[in-house]
Amino acid sequence: MAFPRLTVLDDFAQAAAHDFDAVLLVGDFNQTLPADFSAHVKRAKRLDQRVGHSALLVPSEVPGGRLICAPTGALDSDYADVRQVAEAAGVAAKIAEQAGARKPLLVVFGLPAEGPFAQAEAVAYWGACQALYQPLEAREAHGEEALEPITEMGLVASVNGDWLMAIEAGKRLARDLCGTEPERMSARNFARYLQQAFAQSPVQVTVIDDIEQLRRDYPLLMAVARSSVQVERHRPCVVRLEYKAPAAEKTLMFAGKGIVYDTGGADLKINGHMAGMSRDKGGAAGVAGFIKSVALLRPETINVVAELGLVRNSIGAEAFVADEIITGHSGVRVRIGNTDAEGRLLLADLLSHLRVSAASYANPELFSVATLTGHAALSKGPYTALIPNGPARVNDCIEPLWQAGELYGDPSEISWSRREDFQFVRARTRADDVLSSNNGPSATTKRGHQFPMAFLTIAAGLDQHGNNSQQPLPYIHVDIAGSGVEGGDWQHGKPTATPVASFAGRYLSR
Ligand SMILES: [Zn+2]
């Protein structure tokens, strides 16, 4: 894993003891400049008035002779957020790389004391790493050394460098798994990648790939997989990841949507809407990325369990179709509304397994993470949608997760689960228990990202674990359809590795 290794300095004076070859100066250049660079910036500004307004390399008496000034814009406005720092650091890192620097030093200045900037230096490092990351296929074709030449970086901040690198290792793994094309990262190859990534780690990896076992234990998942089974290299699997804490007080349980390719199935995606659907595995990728960070940091008190459903939603003679009724792992009979609403089917089985095993873990909290609905992208833009159930609201699970996203540059917005959502997926006759979806695009359906959470709650049997039950189970549905790739460009956008930073900020102590 060649992402830039980090050296943390308490202040810029320590830089002399290292061989940095560029300085990336990131901040609001309309505020007071840091004393070490003020004269350089003012001199450069006399020659070029763009300095401080656009990102520029200015030759200066700093390490390497290269001072890269990368403005964030105003950080004190009511709507400023820490991603401005990530974006500026990313632009600066790319300029440094193209200029030939191999070991830049990152300096962030002028952060407001108020507002979500307490972790801005960490976010700057991750922003630089995000910009320097190159896709797995590109690295395999051309070599990592050629494509990612910056292998070291300095950061002036009081942060735990090992913690930051552990999170970046998780984000990198998530980007690889989400971003890679559907043959290189087929379901079975996804599982192999994880087996390698977690070899010699405290995370136990179990791959369930026996088709008969999957049919028995994950019937909804296997309905989605039905027309992929004839092609051996497209066959599905479930990967279970488990980290056992030495003194567990809490257990995070994740279901991850890993649709390695989504044709839509018999409700085929048409008019060009299929391109980019190799990224429909971003939920499983994000969960695996978070667990990579867990494996490196080995939290004392937090167990993590995940079930990742890795499936190709193919079209063919065996394809499942709308109107079918399939009994899920929970025993709930699901009426298929549209075969392109497939992610929720496998998530329902995965969540049902987690529900059953939750009783044997300390303080379980359940999550489903998925690129689930176009509606989430339409209504939230580039933000993750978080939808808590009743016990998650009562136990104050949602606000701290949202807050972590604000601080760690992985922002989300909260949506609420409503009775209309349950009404929307209700059974129309006694023939079935719940409807998976209407037969239309979520983006043109009212409450199109909220109602699937109602479906998941019913189809996974979690409606038996509300606040009024014997065993309430907090559950948050995390829809990353708007936030999973940069710019919402599913075919070409770089994966963002969401929600790794939010979960790390929330649950992994520094
Ligand atoms: Zn789909």
Side-chain angles (χ1 to χ4, degrees):
M1 284 274 196
F3 58 86
R5 306 286 305 167
L6 190 59
T7 304
V8 176
L9 311 182
D10 292 331
D11 58 52
F12 179 66
Q14 296 174 356
H18 300 266
D19 54 346
F20 296 114
D21 58 7
V23 173
L24 317 180
L25 187 61
V26 174
D28 177 4
F29 283 72
N30 289 320
Q31 302 296 324
T32 309
L33 294 162
D36 291 315
F37 305 102
S38 174
H40 301 306
V41 173
K42 282 178 182 155
R43 195 175 314 128
K45 220 177 165 74
R46 279 200 293 275
L47 285 173
D48 187 340
Q49 294 182 10
R50 295 175 300 166
V51 172
H53 296 289
S54 34
L56 288 172
L57 187 156
V58 295
S60 299
E61 301 285 305
V62 297
R66 306 170 173 115
L67 178 64
I68 297 165
C69 298
T72 57
L75 297 175
D76 57 356
S77 75
D78 291 346
Y79 48 85
D81 72 55
V82 73
R83 286 171 310 160
Q84 291 169 241
V85 177
E87 288 159 15
V91 170
K94 283 309 278 187
I95 291 175
E97 181 187 64
Q98 287 158 7
R102 295 297 173 256
K103 189 176 176 182
L105 173 65
L106 189 48
V107 179
V108 185
F109 73 93
L111 298 168
E114 300 294 313
F117 294 95
Q119 302 294 336
E121 289 99 344
V123 173
Y125 167 65
W126 295 329
C129 292
Q130 172 80 16
L132 295 172
Y133 169 85
Q134 292 296 316
L136 178 64
E137 304 96 321
R139 294 181 346 246
E140 289 180 344
H142 301 288
E144 225 161 65
E145 304 72 27
L147 293 188
E148 297 180 325
I150 294 182
T151 54
E152 290 181 86
M153 196 180 290
L155 177 65
V156 178
S158 50
V159 293
N160 176 349
D162 289 335
W163 193 84
L164 267 58
M165 284 190 281
I167 309 313
E168 177 53 29
K171 287 165 71 100
R172 185 174 174 89
L173 180 133
R175 288 190 289 263
D176 275 0
L177 292 171
C178 173
T180 301
E181 62 98 2
E183 294 289 345
R184 171 65 184 85
M185 206 56 82
S186 64
R188 303 293 174 92
N189 284 344
F190 192 117
R192 277 182 211 110
Y193 186 105
L194 289 178
Q195 284 170 321
Q196 285 166 12
F198 292 111
Q200 284 97 45
S201 89
V203 171
Q204 191 191 334
V205 182
T206 309
V207 179
I208 304 164
D209 57 8
D210 178 74
I211 295 296
E212 283 315 309
Q213 187 187 351
L214 288 168
R215 280 198 183 111
R216 190 178 62 243
D217 293 343
Y218 298 87
L220 289 166
L221 180 147
M222 280 307 291
V224 178
R226 216 158 68 192
S227 68
S228 72
V229 172
Q230 297 92 325
V231 181
E232 193 164 351
R233 70 178 193 284
H234 290 166
R235 286 186 174 179
C237 58
V238 170
V239 175
R240 188 176 165 94
L241 302 173
E242 177 155 10
Y243 169 79
K244 281 201 172 101
E249 293 168 5
K250 183 188 268 297
T251 306
L252 309 179
M253 309 189 88
F254 292 94
K257 172 183 171 184
I259 294 291
V260 296
Y261 201 75
D262 186 13
T263 68
D267 285 304
L268 191 68
K269 288 181 187 288
I270 56 168
N271 295 334
H273 289 297
M274 204 185 295
M277 283 303 119
S278 58
R279 269 78 182 284
D280 211 6
K281 52 194 180 321
V287 171
F290 172 63
I291 295 176
K292 176 70 183 177
S293 303
V294 168
L296 293 168
L297 294 170
R298 302 176 181 235
E300 274 291 302
T301 59
I302 295 182
N303 290 322
V304 185
V305 177
E307 294 221 356
L308 310 179
L310 305 170
V311 180
R312 180 170 171 127
N313 186 16
S314 291
I315 185 169
E318 282 279 351
F320 77 127
V321 293
D323 299 351
E324 285 187 39
I325 299 169
I326 299 157
T327 303
H329 173 262
S330 60
V332 172
R333 292 170 307 149
V334 174
R335 170 87 69 175
I336 304 301
N338 184 308
T339 67
D340 198 7
E342 80 295 332
R344 67 198 66 177
L345 299 175
L346 50 111
L347 287 175
D349 276 344
L350 303 173
L351 283 168
S352 178
H353 280 267
L354 296 175
R355 168 184 58 81
V356 170
S357 55
S360 49
Y361 289 96
N363 289 319
E365 273 183 45
L366 274 62
F367 303 89
S368 48
V369 184
T371 50
L372 208 71
T373 61
H375 189 269
L378 189 70
S379 59
K380 304 295 188 190
Y383 301 90
T384 295
L386 303 175
I387 315 173
N389 75 349
R393 288 177 75 164
V394 166
N395 291 288
D396 196 25
C397 301
I398 192 71
E399 182 87 8
L401 184 60
W402 172 83
Q403 189 71 40
E406 294 295 300
L407 284 174
Y408 290 90
D410 182 25
S412 57
E413 295 188 356
I414 302 168
S415 290
W416 304 110
S417 184
R418 300 285 188 184
R419 60 200 167 95
E420 285 86 349
D421 304 328
F422 287 81
Q423 182 68 13
F424 193 76
V425 296
R426 76 191 184 283
R428 271 61 172 179
T429 71
R430 298 291 299 275
D432 55 75
D433 300 317
V434 67
L435 178 65
S436 70
S437 159
N438 58 327
N439 200 345
S442 75
T444 56
T445 302
K446 287 175 189 170
R447 301 188 63 77
H449 76 274
Q450 291 100 331
F451 86 78
M453 189 274 194
F455 167 78
L456 289 168
T457 300
I458 297 167
L462 288 170
D463 53 346
Q464 306 303 311
H465 296 271
N467 283 323
N468 59 356
S469 72
Q470 292 290 319
Q471 190 204 354
L473 282 176
Y475 162 51
I476 297 173
H477 174 53
V478 182
D479 192 335
I480 61 167
S483 55
V485 296
E486 287 182 353
D489 178 349
W490 281 91
Q491 189 169 32
H492 304 293
K494 199 178 275 188
T496 60
T498 194
V500 175
S502 290
F503 279 93
R506 166 75 177 93
Y507 291 107
L508 302 179
S509 55
R510 286 155 292 282

